Amino acid sequence: MSNNQIRNIAIIAHVDHGKTTMVDQLLRQSGTFAQHEKIVDTVMDNNAIEKERGITILAKNCAVTWEGTHINIVDTPGHADFGGEVERALSMVDGVVLLIDAQEGPMPQTRFVTKKALALGLKPILVVNKVDKPGARPDYVVNAAFDLFDKLGATDEQLDFPVVYASGINGWSSLEEGEPNEQWGPDMSALFNTILKHVPHQQGDPAAPLQLQISALDFSTFVGRIGVGRISQGTIKPMMDVVVMEGPDGKPVKGRVNQVLTFQGLERVQATEAGPGEIVLINGIPDIGIGVTITDPANPMPLPMLKVDEPTLTMNFCVNTSPLAGREGKYVTSRQIWDRLQKELQHNVALRVKETDEEGIFEVMGRGELHLTILLENMRREGFEMAVSKPRVVMKEVNGEKYEPIELVTADIEEQHQGGVMQALGERKGDLVNMEPDGRGRVRLEYRIPARGLIGFTNEFLNLTRGSGLISNIFDSYEPHKGDIGGRKNGVLISMDAGEIFTYALGKLDDRGRMFVRANDPVYEGMIVGIHSRDNDLVVNATRTKQLTNFRVSGKEDTIKITPPIELTLEYGVEFIEDDELVEITPKSVRLRKRHLTESERKRAGRS
């Protein structure tokens, strides 16, 4: 395949702007799926957690053919917490398709990935999606996108971007605006043709020494580790001798390529050779890693290692030491947890893991709460059992002064909730940057706020906006420490004894606060069973039973009325806890506990 018959593009979008649906339509309309094949689900979001949450977590590859040109498409995550995936994906492409919702306009996560793409010199194609939606404002979106590119330092060439209007769910695109409530174009051909016209093809020489940088890893039980990357120059063939190098200063390690595969639709097909511009999968090299260059042994030409932004949040992963430990999990020891974290490091490039001075406690650093909780969710589904601490921000020292990460926050809320949200963000040291009413009863607030102030804010925000608010955040910069930020306003209810919860006990505790537990749930001393209605912690008897006597009473006993408990999820638990508390995670349960289980230990720790 010649160079000019290949195009490599990444699709960028904010969460829920329709990116995965758009990729599915491109696959369908390019003839990748036969007419009789019925696809019920989105094809690209095939991970269990991605399907549940409706978000893209892992950067994935597929390929379509349009008018004789092979188009490799990389579906990138829309959330900044998975920025490590984004940076790897952008290293494989020559152009980006920026997908923006026709009503919402550019959002913070769009800004994050776009900034990366513009810095790499990639020229964007703007796709205004969901133009058939009520309230769509395509002209505003195009102008807002231009302003965003300008703010991010785009070149004159990048600012002269083509615009495509589309409805991904209905499968059409157009270069011209049409009438509302009408179909503006017949199919996705306008988008396909814009990609062929504006995305440059690879300029590499097929006869030059091989240069293939690995941007992603996969694993197969048959062939072992698989490296995925784009060939910059040269030609690769099966059974070819190569060297693996970690950047220009790395030591060359000899290896031999077993198979060379390329993407065709969602399938991987074996190739006899592949040249510049092609995204390939190779296997047979056991110690292959992300960022390494596969190059020619006779004339090695390694590329610089991939650069990834540093983590901003850290958590402690601990061995579960509660009295209920080992009942539900399959993997519970510190060695098993450590080995699993080391395996995660092989492909999760934005993650950092290190051992601490304490036995069985590991410090794990990531891009944000979602980045770390997705890892925890995957581990618990695999059968791991552990406890985790409250997230803490990663501080830096600059010229002897303490600096902390600052986030750019965008909140879309109804005007009636504006006062409460602004007060809450102000208490968390947030500075208002921009306020923009949309003229239809909603307002968009932009704040710069310390990352510490956002830990645990999501639930408070949902309560303040009665569930109607949308909030998203993105790392902006490091700035001098902003001072103390207040923590949780309520104390907790702590069980004083081990046993089983009875309905009678729940009835007696109902006026003390909201519970996390139900009748018949097991509890232990030091376990958090609810939120106290006041600001102090309270030790309660959660296993109390009714004393039975042989005296009869006239009339029926009063029915015990209990407020339904709060549904305890992994994210809620991680956001809720304070520094002296832990979230206990097992494959079947999420529980909250005090770090020191007995009252005497807590008092001793409080004095020290």
Coordinates of all heavy atoms in Angstrom, one line a residue, residues 148-208:
L148 N -11.3 29.1 21.1 CA -10.6 28.2 21.9 C -9.2 27.9 21.2 O -8.2 27.9 21.9 CB -11.4 26.9 22.0 CG -10.7 25.7 22.7 CD1 -10.4 26.0 24.1 CD2 -11.5 24.4 22.5
F149 N -9.2 27.6 19.9 CA -7.9 27.3 19.2 C -7.0 28.5 19.3 O -5.8 28.3 19.6 CB -8.2 27.1 17.7 CG -8.9 25.8 17.4 CD1 -9.3 25.5 16.1 CD2 -9.1 24.9 18.4 CE1 -10.0 24.3 15.9 CE2 -9.8 23.7 18.1 CZ -10.2 23.4 16.9
D150 N -7.5 29.7 19.2 CA -6.7 30.9 19.3 C -6.1 31.0 20.7 O -4.9 31.3 20.8 CB -7.6 32.2 19.0 CG -6.8 33.4 18.8 OD1 -5.6 33.3 18.2 OD2 -7.2 34.5 19.1
K151 N -6.9 30.8 21.7 CA -6.4 30.8 23.1 C -5.3 29.8 23.4 O -4.4 30.0 24.2 CB -7.5 30.6 24.1 CG -8.3 31.8 24.5 CD -9.4 31.4 25.5 CE -10.5 32.4 25.6 NZ -11.7 31.9 26.3
L152 N -5.4 28.6 22.7 CA -4.4 27.6 22.9 C -3.2 27.7 22.0 O -2.4 26.8 22.0 CB -5.1 26.2 22.6 CG -6.3 25.8 23.6 CD1 -6.9 24.5 23.1 CD2 -5.8 25.7 25.0
G153 N -3.1 28.8 21.3 CA -1.9 29.1 20.6 C -1.8 28.4 19.2 O -0.7 28.0 18.8
A154 N -2.9 28.2 18.5 CA -3.0 27.6 17.2 C -2.3 28.5 16.2 O -2.3 29.7 16.3 CB -4.4 27.3 16.8
T155 N -1.6 27.9 15.2 CA -1.0 28.6 14.1 C -2.1 29.1 13.1 O -3.3 28.6 13.2 CB 0.0 27.7 13.3 OG1 -0.8 26.6 12.8 CG2 1.0 27.2 14.3
D156 N -1.7 30.0 12.2 CA -2.7 30.5 11.2 C -3.3 29.3 10.4 O -4.4 29.3 10.0 CB -2.0 31.5 10.3 CG -1.7 32.8 11.0 OD1 -2.3 33.0 12.1 OD2 -0.9 33.6 10.5
E157 N -2.4 28.4 10.1 CA -2.8 27.2 9.3 C -3.9 26.4 10.1 O -4.9 25.9 9.5 CB -1.6 26.4 8.9 CG -2.0 25.3 7.9 CD -0.8 24.3 7.6 OE1 0.2 24.5 8.2 OE2 -1.1 23.4 6.8
Q158 N -3.6 26.2 11.4 CA -4.5 25.4 12.2 C -5.9 26.1 12.4 O -6.9 25.5 12.5 CB -3.9 25.1 13.6 CG -2.8 24.0 13.5 CD -2.0 23.9 14.8 OE1 -1.8 24.9 15.5 NE2 -1.6 22.7 15.1
L159 N -5.8 27.5 12.4 CA -7.0 28.3 12.6 C -7.9 28.3 11.3 O -9.1 28.5 11.4 CB -6.7 29.7 13.0 CG -6.2 30.0 14.4 CD1 -5.7 31.4 14.6 CD2 -7.3 29.6 15.4
D160 N -7.3 27.9 10.2 CA -8.1 27.8 8.9 C -8.6 26.4 8.8 O -8.2 25.6 7.9 CB -7.2 28.2 7.8 CG -7.9 28.2 6.4 OD1 -9.2 28.4 6.5 OD2 -7.3 28.0 5.4
F161 N -9.5 26.0 9.7 CA -9.9 24.6 9.8 C -11.2 24.4 9.0 O -12.1 25.2 9.0 CB -10.1 24.1 11.2 CG -11.0 25.0 12.1 CD1 -12.4 24.9 12.0 CD2 -10.5 26.0 12.9 CE1 -13.2 25.7 12.8 CE2 -11.3 26.9 13.6 CZ -12.7 26.7 13.6
P162 N -11.4 23.2 8.4 CA -12.7 22.9 7.7 C -13.7 22.5 8.8 O -13.4 22.0 9.8 CB -12.3 21.7 6.9 CG -11.2 21.0 7.5 CD -10.4 22.1 8.2
V163 N -15.0 22.8 8.4 CA -16.1 22.5 9.3 C -17.1 21.6 8.7 O -17.5 21.8 7.5 CB -16.9 23.8 9.7 CG1 -18.1 23.5 10.7 CG2 -16.0 24.9 10.4
V164 N -17.5 20.5 9.4 CA -18.5 19.6 8.9 C -19.6 19.5 9.9 O -19.4 19.4 11.1 CB -17.9 18.1 8.8 CG1 -18.9 17.2 8.3 CG2 -16.6 18.2 7.9
Y165 N -20.9 19.6 9.5 CA -22.0 19.5 10.3 C -22.6 18.1 10.2 O -22.6 17.5 9.1 CB -23.1 20.5 9.9 CG -22.7 21.9 9.8 CD1 -22.2 22.5 8.6 CD2 -22.6 22.7 11.0 CE1 -21.8 23.8 8.6 CE2 -22.1 24.0 11.0 CZ -21.7 24.6 9.8 OH -21.2 25.9 9.8
A166 N -22.9 17.5 11.4 CA -23.3 16.1 11.4 C -24.3 15.7 12.4 O -24.5 16.4 13.4 CB -22.0 15.2 11.6
S167 N -25.0 14.6 12.2 CA -25.8 14.0 13.2 C -25.4 12.5 13.2 O -25.7 11.7 12.4 CB -27.3 14.0 12.8 OG -28.1 13.2 13.6
G168 N -24.5 12.2 14.2 CA -23.9 10.9 14.3 C -24.9 9.8 14.5 O -24.8 8.7 13.8
I169 N -25.9 10.0 15.3 CA -26.9 9.0 15.6 C -27.8 8.6 14.3 O -28.2 7.5 14.1 CB -27.8 9.3 16.8 CG1 -28.5 8.1 17.4 CG2 -28.8 10.4 16.5 CD1 -28.8 8.2 18.8
N170 N -28.0 9.7 13.5 CA -28.8 9.5 12.3 C -27.9 9.2 11.0 O -28.5 8.9 10.0 CB -29.7 10.7 12.0 CG -30.8 10.8 13.1 OD1 -31.4 9.9 13.5 ND2 -30.9 12.0 13.6
G171 N -26.6 9.3 11.2 CA -25.7 8.8 10.1 C -25.6 9.7 8.9 O -25.5 9.3 7.8
W172 N -25.6 11.1 9.1 CA -25.4 12.0 8.0 C -24.5 13.1 8.3 O -24.4 13.5 9.5 CB -26.7 12.5 7.4 CG -27.7 13.2 8.3 CD1 -28.8 12.6 8.9 CD2 -27.7 14.5 8.7 NE1 -29.4 13.5 9.7 CE2 -28.8 14.7 9.6 CE3 -26.8 15.6 8.5 CZ2 -29.1 16.0 10.2 CZ3 -27.1 16.8 9.1 CH2 -28.2 17.0 10.0
S173 N -23.9 13.7 7.3 CA -23.0 14.9 7.5 C -23.1 15.8 6.3 O -23.6 15.4 5.2 CB -21.5 14.4 7.6 OG -21.1 13.8 6.5
S174 N -22.7 17.1 6.5 CA -22.9 18.1 5.5 C -21.8 19.1 5.6 O -21.4 19.4 6.8 CB -24.3 18.7 5.5 OG -24.4 19.8 4.7
L175 N -21.4 19.8 4.5 CA -20.5 20.9 4.6 C -21.2 22.2 4.7 O -20.6 23.2 4.9 CB -19.5 20.9 3.3 CG -18.7 19.6 3.2 CD1 -17.9 19.7 1.9 CD2 -17.7 19.5 4.4
E176 N -22.5 22.2 4.4 CA -23.3 23.4 4.5 C -24.4 23.3 5.5 O -24.9 22.2 5.8 CB -24.0 23.6 3.1 CG -23.1 23.7 1.9 CD -22.3 24.9 1.9 OE1 -22.7 26.0 2.5 OE2 -21.1 24.9 1.3
E177 N -24.8 24.4 6.1 CA -25.9 24.4 7.1 C -27.2 24.3 6.3 O -27.3 24.9 5.3 CB -25.9 25.7 7.9 CG -24.9 25.8 9.0 CD -25.1 26.9 10.0 OE1 -26.2 27.0 10.6 OE2 -24.2 27.8 10.1
G178 N -28.1 23.6 6.9 CA -29.5 23.4 6.3 C -30.5 24.0 7.2 O -30.3 24.7 8.1
E179 N -31.8 23.6 6.9 CA -32.9 24.1 7.7 C -33.1 23.2 8.9 O -32.8 22.0 8.9 CB -34.2 24.0 6.8 CG -34.2 24.9 5.6 CD -34.2 26.4 6.1 OE1 -34.9 26.7 7.0 OE2 -33.4 27.2 5.4
P180 N -33.5 23.8 10.1 CA -33.8 23.0 11.3 C -34.8 21.9 11.0 O -35.7 22.1 10.1 CB -34.4 24.1 12.3 CG -33.9 25.4 11.7 CD -33.8 25.2 10.2
N181 N -34.7 20.8 11.7 CA -35.6 19.6 11.6 C -35.5 19.0 10.3 O -36.4 18.2 9.9 CB -37.0 20.0 11.9 CG -37.1 20.7 13.3 OD1 -36.5 20.3 14.2 ND2 -38.0 21.7 13.4
E182 N -34.5 19.2 9.5 CA -34.3 18.6 8.2 C -33.0 17.9 8.1 O -32.1 18.2 8.9 CB -34.4 19.6 7.0 CG -35.8 20.0 6.7 CD -35.9 20.9 5.5 OE1 -34.9 20.9 4.7 OE2 -36.9 21.6 5.3
Q183 N -32.9 16.9 7.2 CA -31.6 16.2 7.0 C -30.7 17.0 6.1 O -31.2 17.3 5.0 CB -31.8 14.8 6.5 CG -30.6 13.9 6.5 CD -30.9 12.5 6.3 OE1 -31.9 11.9 6.9 NE2 -30.1 11.8 5.5
W184 N -29.5 17.4 6.5 CA -28.7 18.3 5.7 C -27.8 17.6 4.7 O -27.3 18.3 3.8 CB -27.8 19.2 6.7 CG -28.5 20.0 7.6 CD1 -29.9 20.1 7.8 CD2 -28.0 20.9 8.6 NE1 -30.2 21.0 8.8 CE2 -29.1 21.5 9.3 CE3 -26.7 21.2 9.0 CZ2 -28.9 22.4 10.4 CZ3 -26.5 22.1 10.0 CH2 -27.6 22.7 10.7
G185 N -27.7 16.3 4.8 CA -26.8 15.6 3.9 C -27.3 14.1 3.8 O -28.0 13.6 4.7
P186 N -26.9 13.4 2.7 CA -27.4 12.1 2.5 C -26.7 11.0 3.5 O -27.4 10.1 3.9 CB -27.0 11.8 1.1 CG -25.9 12.7 0.8 CD -26.0 13.9 1.6
D187 N -25.4 11.2 3.7 CA -24.7 10.1 4.5 C -23.5 10.8 5.1 O -23.3 12.0 5.1 CB -24.4 8.9 3.6 CG -23.7 9.3 2.3 OD1 -23.1 10.4 2.3 OD2 -23.8 8.6 1.3
M188 N -22.5 9.9 5.5 CA -21.3 10.4 6.1 C -20.2 10.8 5.0 O -19.0 11.0 5.4 CB -20.7 9.4 7.0 CG -21.6 9.0 8.2 SD -22.1 10.3 9.2 CE -20.6 10.7 10.1
S189 N -20.5 10.8 3.8 CA -19.5 11.0 2.7 C -18.8 12.4 2.9 O -17.6 12.5 2.6 CB -20.1 10.8 1.3 OG -21.2 11.7 1.2
A190 N -19.5 13.4 3.3 CA -18.9 14.7 3.5 C -17.8 14.7 4.5 O -16.7 15.3 4.3 CB -20.0 15.7 3.9
L191 N -17.9 13.9 5.6 CA -16.9 13.8 6.5 C -15.7 13.0 6.0 O -14.5 13.4 6.1 CB -17.4 13.2 7.8 CG -16.4 12.9 9.0 CD1 -15.6 14.1 9.3 CD2 -17.1 12.3 10.2
F192 N -16.0 11.8 5.3 CA -15.0 11.0 4.7 C -14.1 11.8 3.7 O -12.9 11.8 3.8 CB -15.6 9.8 4.0 CG -15.9 8.6 4.9 CD1 -17.2 8.1 4.9 CD2 -14.9 8.0 5.6 CE1 -17.5 7.0 5.7 CE2 -15.2 6.9 6.4 CZ -16.5 6.4 6.5
N193 N -14.8 12.6 2.9 CA -14.1 13.3 1.8 C -13.2 14.5 2.5 O -12.1 14.8 2.0 CB -15.0 13.9 0.8 CG -15.7 12.8 0.0 OD1 -15.2 11.7 -0.2 ND2 -17.0 13.1 -0.4
T194 N -13.7 15.1 3.5 CA -12.9 16.1 4.2 C -11.7 15.5 4.8 O -10.6 16.1 4.8 CB -13.8 16.8 5.3 OG1 -15.0 17.2 4.7 CG2 -13.1 18.0 6.0
I195 N -11.8 14.3 5.4 CA -10.6 13.6 6.0 C -9.6 13.4 4.9 O -8.4 13.7 5.1 CB -11.0 12.3 6.7 CG1 -11.8 12.6 7.9 CG2 -9.8 11.5 7.0 CD1 -12.5 11.4 8.6
L196 N -10.0 12.9 3.7 CA -9.1 12.6 2.6 C -8.4 13.8 2.1 O -7.2 13.8 1.8 CB -9.8 11.9 1.5 CG -10.4 10.5 1.7 CD1 -10.9 9.9 0.4 CD2 -9.5 9.6 2.5
K197 N -9.2 14.9 2.1 CA -8.6 16.2 1.6 C -7.7 16.9 2.5 O -6.7 17.4 2.1 CB -9.8 17.1 1.2 CG -9.4 18.4 0.6 CD -10.6 19.2 0.2 CE -10.2 20.6 -0.3 NZ -11.4 21.4 -0.6
H198 N -8.0 16.9 3.8 CA -7.2 17.7 4.8 C -6.2 17.0 5.7 O -5.4 17.7 6.3 CB -8.2 18.5 5.7 CG -9.0 19.5 4.9 ND1 -8.5 20.8 4.6 CD2 -10.3 19.5 4.3 CE1 -9.4 21.5 3.9 NE2 -10.5 20.7 3.7
V199 N -6.3 15.7 5.8 CA -5.4 15.0 6.6 C -4.2 14.6 5.8 O -4.3 13.9 4.8 CB -6.0 13.7 7.3 CG1 -4.9 13.0 8.1 CG2 -7.1 14.2 8.2
P200 N -2.9 15.0 6.1 CA -1.8 14.7 5.3 C -1.4 13.2 5.3 O -1.7 12.6 6.4 CB -0.7 15.5 5.9 CG -1.1 15.8 7.3 CD -2.6 15.8 7.3
H201 N -0.8 12.7 4.3 CA -0.4 11.3 4.4 C 1.1 11.3 4.8 O 1.8 12.3 4.8 CB -0.5 10.6 3.0 CG 0.2 11.3 1.9 ND1 1.5 11.2 1.7 CD2 -0.3 12.2 0.9 CE1 1.9 11.9 0.6 NE2 0.8 12.5 0.1
Q202 N 1.5 10.1 5.3 CA 2.9 10.0 5.8 C 3.9 10.2 4.7 O 3.8 9.7 3.6 CB 3.0 8.6 6.4 CG 4.3 8.3 7.1 CD 4.5 9.0 8.4 OE1 3.6 9.4 9.0 NE2 5.7 9.3 8.8
Q203 N 5.0 10.9 5.1 CA 6.0 11.3 4.1 C 7.2 10.3 4.2 O 8.2 10.5 3.4 CB 6.5 12.7 4.4 CG 5.4 13.8 4.3 CD 4.9 14.0 2.9 OE1 5.5 13.7 1.9 NE2 3.6 14.4 2.9
G204 N 7.2 9.4 5.1 CA 8.4 8.5 5.3 C 8.8 7.7 4.0 O 8.0 7.4 3.2
D205 N 10.1 7.3 4.0 CA 10.7 6.6 2.9 C 10.6 5.1 3.2 O 11.2 4.6 4.2 CB 12.1 7.0 2.7 CG 12.8 6.3 1.6 OD1 12.1 5.5 0.9 OD2 14.0 6.5 1.3
P206 N 10.0 4.2 2.4 CA 9.9 2.8 2.7 C 11.3 2.1 2.7 O 11.5 1.1 3.3 CB 9.0 2.2 1.6 CG 8.4 3.4 0.9 CD 9.3 4.6 1.2
A207 N 12.3 2.7 1.9 CA 13.6 2.1 1.8 C 14.5 2.5 2.9 O 15.6 2.0 3.1 CB 14.2 2.4 0.5
A208 N 14.1 3.5 3.8 CA 15.0 4.0 4.8 C 15.0 3.0 6.0 O 14.3 2.0 6.0 CB 14.5 5.3 5.3

